[in-house]
Amino acid sequence: MTSLGARVVLAASNAARKMGQGLDNMGKSMEVCKYAEKLVPSTRFVAVDGVSPTVSPLTAFVAPNASVIGDVTLGQNSSVWYGATVRGDVHQIVIGENTSVGDRAVIHVAKIQGDFPSIIGNNVTIGPGAIVHAATLLDGSVVGASAQVLDGAVVEKNSIVGPGAVVTPGTVVKEGEYWLGSPAKMVRKVTVEELQSMSENSLDTLEMARMHAVECNKDLQQLTKDAEAYEDAMTRDPDYWQPSDEKDPEDVLGQGSPGLIFDSVLTNPEEGLKLKKKQAEQGL
């Protein structure tokens, strides 16, 4: 049985929470411009010399701590993951559709030593920690984790630059080749199984990106509600009554069925007035 002290603490905490929610609601009612406060404010999109990134409204996900800067075009269903930087400050960067830029990856351009943009096609995978500097990646190519593709280099369709490889400036990785090493060299052709795996990974990444986008867009109120629902699910006995999203047909003003949830007219004044009127009509 719960101790008296525990019950006092619980009652006080519930009262404090309700008072805080009341103050918050009062503040919202006094606002001139309504807004939803985000838990993690960020500067994901930054303009340079008046040029802002162009991001498709159908872009799957840009992480809260990723940076998309300057003359950058990001296509639909593409994603930029946590800690990644896409910096088009001295030239343009174009990223196609269904392309993923992995965690902590860097995409940059060149203007001083050469004049190269970064052009990245559709269905391209750039692994975590990779660097693409003023290079071109054609459709379906893969740059592995911590690999580097440097100024003026071109990675053609369905090619793979393996993890940690360094593709030196001006190098062309031919279609369907697998390159490794520093400096990178062709070691073999890409297999049919690898091509199939690349396609499947793109779809898996897109699905995961959409899930992360939903979670990162939640405000504090939604996160609190989710946490309470999770705690309830973890502690509620499966044999006990389970909450349901289905609306009770006997529900009155969201308080449940009279006599089941509440049994006093003090709980619901409107119902009390109806009861008094009914009793007066019946002469009771």
Side-chain angles (χ1 to χ4, degrees):
M1 188 171 180
T2 307
S3 66
L4 178 60
R7 285 182 294 193
V8 170
V9 171
L10 180 61
S13 62
N14 287 337
R17 174 181 291 183
K18 290 180 180 178
M19 183 174 68
Q21 290 174 342
L23 291 172
D24 185 52
N25 291 331
M26 182 176 69
K28 287 181 181 178
S29 67
M30 297 170 65
E31 290 174 1
V32 176
C33 299
K34 305 293 183 183
Y35 75 100
E37 183 178 359
K38 299 298 182 183
L39 186 63
V40 185
S42 68
T43 53
R44 280 181 280 187
F45 305 106
V46 180
V48 174
D49 293 332
V51 180
S52 298
T54 301
V55 180
S56 168
L58 298 178
T59 293
F61 175 57
V62 177
N65 64 341
S67 298
V68 181
I69 303 166
D71 190 0
V72 177
T73 300
L74 187 60
Q76 68 181 32
N77 291 332
S78 290
S79 54
V80 182
W81 290 83
Y82 301 95
T85 300
V86 183
R87 180 156 61 97
D89 48 0
V90 295
H91 216 310
Q92 68 170 339
I93 297 174
V94 178
I95 299 176
E97 300 178 0
N98 199 29
T99 288
S100 62
V101 180
D103 304 78
R104 307 180 316 283
V106 175
I107 302 175
H108 194 218
V109 288
K111 192 73 173 179
I112 299 174
Q113 297 179 342
D115 189 359
F116 300 107
S118 282
I119 307 298
I120 299 169
N122 304 326
N123 301 300
V124 175
T125 299
I126 299 173
I131 297 175
V132 178
H133 195 274
T136 298
L137 310 180
L138 299 185
D139 296 351
S141 56
V142 173
V143 177
S146 300
Q148 299 180 35
V149 183
L150 302 179
D151 303 44
V154 177
V155 179
E156 295 186 349
K157 293 174 60 175
N158 299 326
S159 296
I160 299 177
V161 176
V166 179
V167 179
T168 53
T171 301
V172 177
V173 177
K174 295 293 185 181
E175 180 176 347
E177 294 182 348
Y178 194 114
W179 285 47
L180 278 175
S182 178
K185 296 180 180 179
M186 190 194 81
V187 293
R188 59 177 174 82
K189 291 289 187 179
V190 175
T191 65
V192 175
E193 291 76 16
E194 286 171 330
L195 288 174
Q196 183 177 355
S197 176
M198 288 156 61
S199 177
E200 292 174 353
N201 286 341
S202 292
L203 295 176
D204 291 343
T205 301
L206 173 58
E207 183 178 351
M208 191 182 305
R210 288 172 173 164
M211 179 191 70
H212 279 259
V214 170
E215 293 298 321
C216 288
N217 283 330
K218 290 181 177 179
D219 57 18
L220 182 57
Q221 182 178 4
Q222 183 61 53
L223 289 172
T224 302
K225 184 183 294 185
D226 288 352
E228 290 174 347
Y230 176 79
E231 183 180 2
D232 180 88
M234 292 295 101
T235 56
R236 185 182 294 270
D237 191 307
D239 295 330
Y240 190 62
W241 175 83
Q242 300 296 319
S244 172
D245 293 331
E246 296 182 4
K247 185 175 176 60
D248 185 351
E250 302 297 326
D251 179 76
V252 177
L253 297 178
Q255 297 194 40
S257 302
L260 177 64
I261 304 300
F262 57 91
D263 55 8
S264 170
V265 296
L266 295 177
T267 313
N268 194 324
E270 292 84 358
E271 291 302 305
L273 293 175
K274 291 180 183 178
L275 178 60
K276 285 187 178 181
K277 183 178 179 180
K278 185 176 180 180
Q279 289 174 342
E281 291 174 350
Q282 295 176 352
L284 298 177

